[in-house]
Amino acid sequence: MRRTALLASAALLAGLLPWATARAADDPAPTPVDRFEGEVPFASQPAEGIFTWGGDTDDPPALSLTARTDAPEGAKVLTGTYDISGYGGFTHDFAAGEPAHDWSGHQGIRFWWDGRNNGRKIAFEIKDGGANGEASELWTTSFTDDFTGWKQIRIPFGDFAYRTDYQPVGGIDHVLGLTRMWGYAVTLPPGAKGDFAMDGVELYGRGDQSLHASVTTGAAVYPVREGGTARVRVTLATTGSAPVDEPVTVRYETGGGSAEPGKDYTPVSGTLTFPAGTASGTARTIEVPTRGDRAAEPAETVPLKLTVTGAKAPAETPQVVIDAHGLPYLDSRLPVKRRVADLLGRMSLAEKAGQMTQAERGAMTAPGDIAGYGLGSLLSGGGSTPTPNTPEAWAKMIDAFQLRTRATRFQIPLIYGVDAVHGHNNLSGATVMPHNIGLGATRDPGLAEKTASVTAAEVRATGVPWDFAPCLCVSRDERWGRSYESFGEDPALVQSMETVIQGLQGRADGRDLDRHDKVLATAKHFLGDGGTEYGSSTTGTYTTDQGVTKVTRQQLEAVHLAPFRTAVDRGVGTVMPSYSSLDILGDGKGPVKMHARADMIDGVLKDRLGFDGFVISDWNAIDQLPGDYASHVRTSVGAGLDMMMVPYTYKEFTGTLVDEVRAGRISRHRIDDAVSRILTQKFRLGLFEHPYADTGGAAAIGSRAHREVARRAAAESQVLLKNRGAVLPLKKSEKVYVAGSNADDIGNQTGGWTLTWQGSSGNITPGTTILQGMREAGGNVTYSKDASAPTGGYDAGVVVVGETPYAEGVGDVGNGHSLQLSAADRAAVDKVCAAMKCAVLVVSGRPQLIGDRLDGIDALVASWLPGTEGEGVADVLYGRRPFTGRLPVTWPRSEAQLPINVGDASYDPQFPYGWGLTTLTHVPQGGTAALRALAVAAAAAERAGADRTGRELVTQARLLVQRKAGERITESLAKPFADADHLLLTGRYGKAVEKLMTAYRAA
């Protein structure tokens, strides 16, 4: 049965169904939406029907239509099971090809739910306006499963609120019109396995004017300086902007807050009337005068109670807030340390607990929770964006959150954080840089700093002062789904690229943090996440991520701790521990989750290294600790964590933390230390003086100047691994055949952490694909993605292959991913390279196994994940810039070799660490004698501290070795060659050339 037919036959069905009985005499008959007897199919988007969805492959529930003798109506009910770690649920979309449905004549929607009495919250959503169910406004509410057996859940339409955490199309009119409805959705609770049963979805009751008219205030909070007058704007809005049919009255009265009437403000009361016929958008203003005195005071609140007749009242009572004033912590002339001490001494335990809490912006049950729980921070996880996803909307959203903090006693601003790991990658239209693996390939610390400066400027211009970057992991196994977030496998390389911290933060002493183009950086993930063993993960289907790093103490210090030592020296403001476990061989502790390792966080990081910033947990990471929730809180806070990223459980965390302190199981000294660290960074960022977004730099987001930096980074990240016959660079006069899955796909080119957590293929963000870049470079290009077009008559072929996007453990090899090219990519390579001289570009977050095809490939390029500026790749393909990139990780011959890294006793890769041919660059002449001379000169440069000269001398020696080796890379050549690159990065230029001499003799 078509959905439209079912709804159209509402009157007939209402007379037949047993549950369509009790109603007021003048109410319309209930209108069935879903009976679950089989009239609506299970389907996939965008077809009409019921379909499931979730945050990853494990999250969508399993649904079925089940015959039940206790069915509230008919014979069958909708049943399902679920086990959701992120988010998941199901939707019924009405047919996109049919007219939208008019629900405006009804009071609400109701359905039967088989209660489990588990106290869990179930979100229910309806879809309004737009072209179809997947391009509509989303309105949401929820109910709690706190009953047993069947119960009819009744939801008046007035209870639905516009979703501010996610909208698929950017909003239509922000009014629940009810005249163009496209379906509903149910979001099931995460965190524990469950099952449900549902039946008889229908519309009930008669609509009234309050469904189509509402009274709103311009804001929920109205800050005002002591002695000033607050002006609260009250606006009447209607569906479709039609005038109201009946009068609307608004009675108002001040009182009930922390401010004292008559002393702190002049009480006001009265009535506003919007007569019948009043146009939508008509506004009135209520003025609340405050009174001044000379006393220093915290902020005080004056609630303005509104009683509305004839329309829907505002969702919450607006509050006038008399700003805090005269207190020492508000004096920007005082040293930060003194301001922190003053503020800390005034705060209650509950207020301190709030500062240690970070919630996901989309998971707050109400915006008022920011003040209600005194939250210290909010974040946007991957894909958590405002609607529309524009710089203006970001700034407006964050300003609205900051406004909420004005209603707290001390008006402590939020510190808002995002994962801007390669540009402001959550923002559509932002400049997306190459991922860190590509930056590591550039070997250009100055360029890396510039990319971070662009990122910081774009992030701060949207009101965000805190970036969860950079990742300082030393990736030791490319099967790890996060390996592309690493600068490379050598700690010396990672340390050299930590100039990004200055790009983000400015000078190491923190004096630049209050600039409009700088953000607080985060060194992550402390400690050893790049060393987790394959197969050691205990998280879902992950194989490597969140696993166990087994090392000696010496290996831990030399490989994994070294980059964090550098980060502390560079003044990094925050540090994030890893999900992974650390097993230090010989210490007798076995694997211990990093979020529980007080010896590492409190002992090494804070005490030994002298880190004076604050430590922020990873997403829900404390939930992975053993024991009950109270023990999670005790253990993590005791280990030295200062702020907890508890996206969905901020209420539980703050309450538990307060209880644990009061019980004496967490010391008040530890709390004061944590809060002092957090407040210090907020003061350094200038948030107390300027909590709202400075959008002066917003016009530069995605600008040509910013994209030029990204373009240069993309060009320098390209690593030329093979170039038989000097196929590259191409000539513009050549007729070039382009193929492959990643030639014209901006989503694949940018990778994970782009617009969403896992990223996605396709045209997801503005930018230039590699194919477009080649065309814009003036190349004579023909494109056939699958190489199905005829291949005759071309001078050269370019096949762009590689991976599709992924992030973290979802991208682990063995978890639906491998290091092999897809069948389609292999076929494209085979066809093109058999027909003409060819260059193969591998767009990926890690090396791909191409040894079985290497002989048939003339030129091979590791393109990594170059970001939005495909012109940078074209620049080196067509010789506008030379190839200069070098491998930041070892390129293996087979997966059996993994893990394989520079310094290994056995080392026989396809291409060694540091390998990278060049074009447009003179390769010096000579052999062993020339190398000896270079070694003497390099040693002299080292002694003189002439780093630039030393590096240039080692580069000349490297080019000599690569020219002689050609395509014959043996184990006896590869090992000293890779060792030489490590020595170069540690400033031992003479020894590096000596190693290259050994490699030369083996070539």
Side-chain angles (χ1 to χ4, degrees):
M1 178 185 291
R2 299 292 293 174
R3 169 60 32 205
T4 48
L6 178 61
L7 287 170
S9 61
L12 174 62
L13 285 168
L16 300 176
L17 298 175
W19 36 264
T21 52
R23 69 176 193 270
D26 59 347
D27 280 355
T31 299
V33 176
D34 270 333
R35 300 180 64 221
F36 303 118
E37 300 300 311
E39 73 281 0
V40 178
F42 294 119
S44 299
Q45 294 173 279
E48 173 194 21
I50 299 172
F51 57 86
T52 61
W53 37 266
D56 58 41
T57 55
D58 298 327
D59 283 350
L63 303 182
S64 62
L65 297 176
T66 304
R68 292 264 295 258
T69 57
D70 63 343
E73 69 87 12
K76 297 179 180 178
V77 301
L78 178 69
T79 62
T81 58
Y82 59 90
D83 184 7
I84 301 168
S85 58
Y87 64 91
F90 62 92
T91 291
H92 178 190
D93 267 1
F94 301 157
E98 301 290 339
H101 304 169
D102 187 348
W103 290 3
S104 62
H106 289 279
Q107 180 184 357
I109 189 167
R110 63 190 183 191
F111 50 89
W112 292 92
W113 190 266
D114 190 11
R116 301 295 187 266
N117 198 25
N118 53 26
R120 306 180 79 187
K121 181 181 292 185
I122 295 96
F124 190 87
E125 184 175 275
I126 56 178
K127 303 186 171 196
D128 168 47
N132 54 59
E134 294 308 291
S136 57
E137 279 188 342
L138 306 181
W139 293 75
T140 187
T141 187
S142 64
F143 65 95
T144 302
D145 187 339
D146 56 2
F147 54 90
T148 301
W150 289 108
K151 176 181 177 180
Q152 193 173 52
I153 306 298
R154 301 167 65 93
I155 306 175
F157 290 128
D159 287 357
F160 285 92
Y162 181 82
R163 276 191 67 171
T164 56
D165 59 323
Y166 169 75
Q167 290 286 344
V169 295
I172 297 164
D173 59 10
H174 292 228
V175 175
L176 179 57
L178 297 172
T179 58
R180 291 181 55 79
M181 304 302 295
W182 291 106
Y184 67 89
V186 175
T187 301
L188 296 163
K193 293 182 179 180
D195 63 276
F196 73 92
M198 181 181 184
D199 202 9
V201 184
E202 64 176 356
L203 311 178
Y204 73 92
R206 179 179 301 279
D208 56 42
Q209 181 172 283
S210 65
L211 294 174
H212 310 291
S214 61
V215 168
T216 62
T217 57
V221 179
Y222 291 83
V224 61
R225 289 186 177 182
E226 185 185 50
T229 297
R231 292 173 176 83
V232 180
R233 186 177 174 86
V234 179
T235 303
L236 177 67
T238 63
T239 300
S241 298
V244 289
D245 297 326
E246 303 169 11
V248 174
T249 61
V250 181
R251 291 193 298 109
Y252 61 89
E253 180 181 11
T254 54
S258 58
E260 185 177 337
K263 176 178 178 292
D264 297 314
Y265 69 98
T266 301
V268 298
S269 62
T271 301
L272 303 177
T273 301
F274 298 91
T278 298
S280 180
T282 301
R284 307 274 193 269
T285 299
I286 302 170
E287 295 189 348
V288 181
T290 69
R291 298 181 176 183
D293 57 37
R294 295 186 178 181
E297 295 175 300
E300 297 171 303
T301 58
V302 184
L304 181 62
K305 301 173 185 177
L306 303 179
T307 304
V308 180
T309 304
K312 184 180 178 181
E316 56 187 306
T317 298
Q319 292 188 81
V320 172
V321 178
I322 305 169
D323 285 337
H325 53 278
L327 301 173
Y329 78 89
L330 295 170
D331 187 350
S332 61
R333 298 168 298 179
L334 295 178
V336 167
K337 188 173 183 180
R338 183 174 168 187
R339 297 177 75 184
V340 170
D342 176 71
L343 177 53
L344 188 71
R346 299 175 186 278
M347 296 170 66
S348 69
L349 176 58
E351 287 166 330
K352 293 173 182 177
Q355 285 302 300
M356 294 174 66
T357 307
Q358 183 184 66
E360 155 64 36
R361 40 81 72 184
M364 284 189 299
T365 54
D369 285 352
I370 293 172
Y373 291 86
L375 297 179
S377 180
L378 293 178
L379 83 151
S380 281
S384 177
T385 65
T387 302
N389 188 1
T390 63
E392 297 78 12
W394 274 89
K396 183 178 178 181
M397 174 187 73
I398 293 169
D399 282 355
F401 292 145
Q402 290 288 19
L403 180 62
R404 296 287 183 164
T405 67
R406 305 295 90 189
T408 62
R409 283 202 306 160
F410 301 115
Q411 299 182 309
I412 304 173
L414 293 164
I415 178 170
Y416 199 99
V418 297
D419 285 278
V421 298
H422 62 140
H424 196 356
N425 43 257
N426 262 349
L427 171 64
S428 179
T431 307
V432 178
M433 302 292 171
H435 269 295
N436 284 353
I437 192 76
L439 293 181
T442 70
R443 297 298 202 281
D444 191 337
L447 177 58
E449 183 173 349
K450 289 179 181 177
T451 66
S453 293
V454 169
T455 297
E458 296 198 0
V459 169
R460 194 70 182 255
T462 59
V464 178
W466 185 14
D467 186 2
F468 304 133
C471 184
L472 301 183
C473 47
V474 182
S475 177
R476 307 293 283 179
D477 189 334
E478 279 62 59
R479 290 172 292 188
W480 184 35
R482 205 162 199 157
S483 59
Y484 62 76
E485 290 191 55
S486 170
F487 292 111
E489 69 186 33
D490 183 353
L493 174 57
V494 175
Q495 288 173 285
S496 74
M497 304 306 286
E498 290 186 51
T499 51
V500 295
I501 294 173
Q502 266 56 67
L504 293 170
Q505 291 193 169
R507 285 170 287 188
D509 61 6
R511 72 177 74 178
D512 295 329
L513 283 172
D514 62 352
R515 283 173 38 176
H516 71 280
D517 61 347
K518 293 301 176 187
V519 295
L520 197 67
T522 308
K524 64 183 188 183
H525 302 89
F526 187 84
L527 180 66
D529 59 335
T532 50
E533 287 191 353
Y534 183 81
S536 67
S537 180
T538 57
T539 301
T541 56
Y542 297 0
T543 61
T544 311
D545 192 51
Q546 303 183 26
V548 179
T549 299
K550 294 182 180 179
V551 287
T552 64
R553 191 166 292 276
Q554 181 181 8
Q555 290 169 331
L556 181 68
E557 294 273 343
V559 176
H560 299 290
L561 183 62
F564 289 92
R565 186 183 300 112
T566 301
V568 172
D569 291 342
R570 287 185 171 274
V572 73
T574 62
V575 169
M576 180 183 292
S578 174
Y579 282 116
S580 58
S581 299
L582 180 61
D583 186 356
I584 302 176
L585 302 178
D587 73 352
K589 295 181 180 180
V592 179
K593 282 284 187 181
M594 273 308 309
H595 280 71
R597 292 214 65 140
D599 59 331
M600 292 291 131
I601 299 171
D602 203 30
V604 173
L605 178 65
K606 290 184 174 180
D607 290 346
R608 199 179 98 197
L609 299 186
F611 173 64
D612 63 358
F614 70 88
V615 179
I616 171 72
S617 83
D618 209 333
W619 179 281
N620 270 339
I622 67 170
D623 290 349
Q624 295 188 5
L625 301 180
D628 59 13
Y629 193 73
S631 70
H632 297 170
V633 174
R634 281 196 307 275
T635 300
S636 56
V637 174
L641 272 77
D642 303 306
M643 182 183 285
M644 300 300 171
M645 189 186 293
V646 281
Y648 309 107
T649 56
Y650 59 94
K651 296 179 183 179
E652 185 178 4
F653 172 75
T654 53
T656 303
L657 180 57
V658 168
D659 290 344
E660 290 298 297
V661 174
R662 286 176 176 164
R665 291 185 286 269
I666 297 176
S667 74
R668 291 181 182 267
H669 174 75
R670 173 77 268 271
I671 299 301
D672 285 352
D673 172 60
V675 178
S676 294
R677 290 168 176 270
I678 294 164
L679 294 177
T680 296
Q681 299 301 346
K682 290 186 176 185
F683 280 118
R684 286 177 173 173
L685 285 161
L687 295 177
F688 281 82
E689 288 70 47
H690 304 289
Y692 301 115
D694 180 344
T695 58
I701 293 174
S703 65
R704 176 176 292 275
H706 284 186
R707 291 182 183 274
E708 279 299 317
V709 174
R711 178 176 179 169
R712 180 184 160 195
E716 290 193 25
S717 71
Q718 304 299 295
V719 181
L720 183 59
L721 298 172
K722 178 180 178 181
N723 195 22
R724 182 196 302 153
V727 171
L728 297 176
L730 300 168
K731 299 178 180 64
K732 293 180 183 178
S733 61
E734 288 181 301
K735 189 176 180 182
V736 179
Y737 186 103
V738 179
S741 61
N742 286 350
D744 195 33
D745 193 307
I746 200 77
N748 290 355
Q749 186 176 303
T750 51
W753 290 107
T754 308
L755 274 296
T756 58
W757 173 39
Q758 292 292 320
S760 59
S761 300
N763 188 23
I764 62 171
T765 192
T768 304
T769 66
I770 294 171
L771 174 67
Q772 291 168 337
M774 294 177 69
R775 286 174 171 161
E776 291 177 14
N780 182 3
V781 169
T782 297
Y783 174 57
S784 175
K785 180 176 180 179
D786 60 358
S788 59
T791 56
Y794 291 92
D795 298 307
V798 174
V799 191
V800 189
V801 297
E803 297 184 302
T804 55
Y806 55 80
E808 297 184 50
V810 176
D812 285 353
V813 168
N815 189 25
H817 295 266
S818 76
L819 300 180
Q820 301 286 345
L821 297 179
S822 69
D825 277 349
R826 293 196 299 269
V829 169
D830 291 345
K831 183 174 181 181
V832 175
C833 291
M836 65 195 80
K837 62 180 183 179
C838 72
V840 173
L841 277 60
V842 182
V843 173
S844 64
R846 53 197 168 194
Q848 303 291 283
L849 301 174
I850 43 85
D852 58 339
R853 284 172 167 74
L854 192 56
D855 288 343
I857 296 170
D858 296 296
L860 180 65
V861 179
S863 288
W864 309 113
L865 298 168
T868 49
E869 308 313 300
E871 292 166 304
V873 181
D875 285 342
V876 293
L877 289 179
Y878 279 101
R880 184 175 182 268
R881 290 180 179 272
F883 277 94
T884 56
R886 307 207 303 276
L887 282 180
V889 294
T890 301
W891 197 284
R893 295 183 186 276
S894 69
E895 191 171 339
Q897 287 186 313
L898 296 176
I900 182 172
N901 295 287
V902 57
D904 287 354
S906 176
Y907 189 76
D908 185 22
Q910 192 88 66
F911 298 101
Y913 170 78
W915 187 265
L917 307 178
T918 190
T919 55
L920 311 179
T921 300
H922 173 70
V923 178
Q925 298 297 316
T928 304
L931 285 169
R932 286 198 192 98
L934 287 170
V936 171
E942 181 181 337
R943 289 191 298 271
D947 291 330
R948 182 174 180 179
T949 300
R951 289 192 294 268
E952 289 176 350
L953 292 167
V954 177
T955 296
Q956 290 181 44
R958 179 176 61 84
L959 294 177
L960 275 171
V961 174
Q962 288 182 156
R963 184 177 61 184
K964 183 183 179 187
E967 298 178 30
R968 301 179 306 277
I969 301 175
T970 62
E971 182 175 5
S972 56
L973 179 149
K975 183 171 174 54
F977 185 95
D979 290 343
D981 206 67
H982 170 74
L983 290 166
L984 166 64
L985 287 163
T986 56
R988 290 173 286 177
Y989 308 122
K991 290 291 185 183
V993 177
E994 289 178 13
K995 285 287 185 181
L996 288 169
M997 290 174 63
T998 302
Y1000 186 87
R1001 288 191 291 268

